[in-house]
């Protein structure tokens, strides 16, 4: 995150990196490393850089929802998986190591809880209403971009028995999917009452996805992470499936 913000601050301020370095007391080489994501600056350093650019910082604490937690779990457990951004994923791998996670089920659980499917920010959306998997597949196809199902439909495949719970449609175009489903679905009052979660996906999420009877599904390991993230009965099913691997 920091490498994006600092470069944007300097650009918006119309200042040179040399001036920002002088005004902030942060060396040009340190600014360069921050921009490239090669160092983890303190909040004090970031505030000095912001002030030098004519801005200020507000610290905002919110429920955790980080897709790189899931990507880190897949790096550890799925041979050949390539994350979207190595630096962010490596940070999560180190977090797993610091808390002593080496059991695959524990890694999946931690990654799921850290992915925060129930606390996603826009453009992800939470919808309620009745819709079958084929209708969701049709909406996914209509976006013209990659998409895949997870949550209840996928775990139902893995468990071999009917399940209740939220369906998850991963897509790069959640707002478009919402508009395509507008005739039959509406905004859920809270994420926990949603029957469908339309979640924003990055390219790496679709690695290992597969097609069954005309429907795209995420890779099995991603479905387990999502099950742990959804909690409740689906998390129990995800754990049961994971322990059979």
């Amino acid at each position: 995150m920091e490498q994006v913000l600092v470069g944007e601050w300097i650009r918006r301020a119309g200042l040179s990196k040399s001036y920002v370095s002088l005004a902030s007391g942060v060396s040009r080489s340190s600014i360069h490393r921050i921009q490239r994501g090669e160092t983890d600056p303190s909040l004090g350093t970031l505030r000095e850089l912001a002030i030098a650019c004519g801005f200020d910082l507000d610290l905002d604490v919110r429920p955790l929802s980080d897709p790189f937690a899931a990507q880190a779990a897949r790096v550890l457990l799925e041979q050949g998986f390539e994350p979207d951004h190595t630096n962010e994923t490596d940070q999560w791998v180190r977090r797993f190591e610091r808390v002593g996670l080496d059991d695959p089920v524990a890694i999946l659980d931690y990654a799921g809880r850290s992915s925060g499917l129930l606390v996603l920010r826009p453009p992800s959306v939470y919808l309620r209403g009745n819709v079958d998997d084929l209708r969701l597949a049709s909406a996914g196809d209509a976006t013209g971009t990659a998409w895949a199902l997870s949550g209840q439909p996928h775990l139902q495949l893995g468990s071999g028995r009917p399940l209740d719970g939220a369906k998850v449609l991963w897509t790069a175009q959640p707002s478009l999917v919402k508009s395509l489903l507008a005739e039959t679905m509406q905004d859920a009052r809270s994420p926990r009452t949603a029957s469908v979660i339309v979640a924003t996906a990055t390219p790496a999420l679709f690695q290992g996805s597969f097609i069954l009877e005309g429907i795209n599904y995420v890779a099995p390991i991603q479905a387990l992470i999502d099950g742990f993230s959804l909690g409740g009965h689906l998390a129990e099913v995800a754990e049961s499936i994971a322990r059979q691997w």
Side-chain angles (χ1 to χ4, degrees):
M1 179 178 179
E2 290 86 358
Q3 66 264 36
V4 177
L5 292 178
V6 172
E8 178 66 10
W9 295 341
I10 295 172
R11 186 193 66 79
R12 288 174 57 188
L15 300 170
S16 69
K17 193 175 295 185
S18 295
Y19 174 85
V20 172
S21 173
L22 178 65
S24 65
V26 180
S27 69
R28 281 177 55 91
S29 61
S30 294
I31 294 173
H32 181 71
R33 288 196 299 272
I34 292 170
Q35 287 184 269
R36 291 178 60 86
E38 297 172 350
T39 186
D40 189 12
S42 67
L43 285 174
T45 296
L46 286 177
R47 186 163 190 257
E48 289 301 329
L49 288 168
I51 290 172
C53 295
F55 304 111
D56 206 344
L57 290 179
D58 286 321
L59 181 61
D60 181 26
V61 178
R62 63 179 185 275
L64 180 59
S65 177
D66 191 334
F68 293 109
Q71 293 191 28
R74 294 184 67 174
V75 165
L76 291 171
L77 302 175
E78 183 178 354
Q79 186 175 4
F81 179 79
E82 297 182 4
D84 288 305
H85 298 289
T86 302
N87 289 335
E88 288 86 345
T89 304
D90 286 347
Q91 288 178 359
W92 272 104
V93 169
R94 290 193 290 273
R95 291 180 183 116
F96 293 160
E97 293 172 346
R98 285 199 297 269
V99 296
L101 296 180
D102 52 14
D103 173 58
V105 176
I107 291 172
L108 293 170
D109 179 30
Y110 193 91
R113 288 185 287 110
S114 301
S115 298
L117 270 177
L118 296 178
V119 290
L120 297 173
R121 291 182 293 171
S124 298
V125 294
Y126 298 93
L127 305 175
R128 63 184 178 91
N130 295 321
V131 62
D132 60 29
D133 297 350
L134 288 175
R135 180 69 184 91
L136 288 178
S138 177
D141 284 336
T143 67
T145 60
W147 64 274
L149 288 188
S150 186
Q152 178 269 341
H154 202 310
L155 293 173
Q156 185 165 277
L157 285 177
S159 68
R161 57 190 174 88
L163 297 174
D164 294 324
K167 305 174 189 283
V168 179
L169 175 59
W170 287 102
T171 173
Q173 298 284 344
S175 297
L176 178 54
V177 169
K178 178 182 177 180
S179 68
L180 292 168
L181 298 174
E183 291 186 2
T184 55
M185 308 203 76
Q186 54 187 301
D187 290 331
R189 293 187 177 182
S190 80
R192 294 192 177 277
T193 64
S195 52
V196 173
I197 299 173
V198 187
T200 306
T202 58
L205 182 131
F206 298 109
Q207 291 180 43
S209 60
F210 63 96
I211 300 175
L212 181 63
E213 297 181 353
I215 296 178
N216 299 340
Y217 293 94
V218 296
I221 191 169
Q222 181 66 47
L224 294 180
I225 293 169
D226 292 344
F228 280 111
S229 190
L230 291 168
H233 181 55
L234 292 182
E236 294 174 359
V237 173
E239 180 176 356
S240 176
I241 294 172
R243 292 199 181 281
Q244 297 174 28
W245 281 14

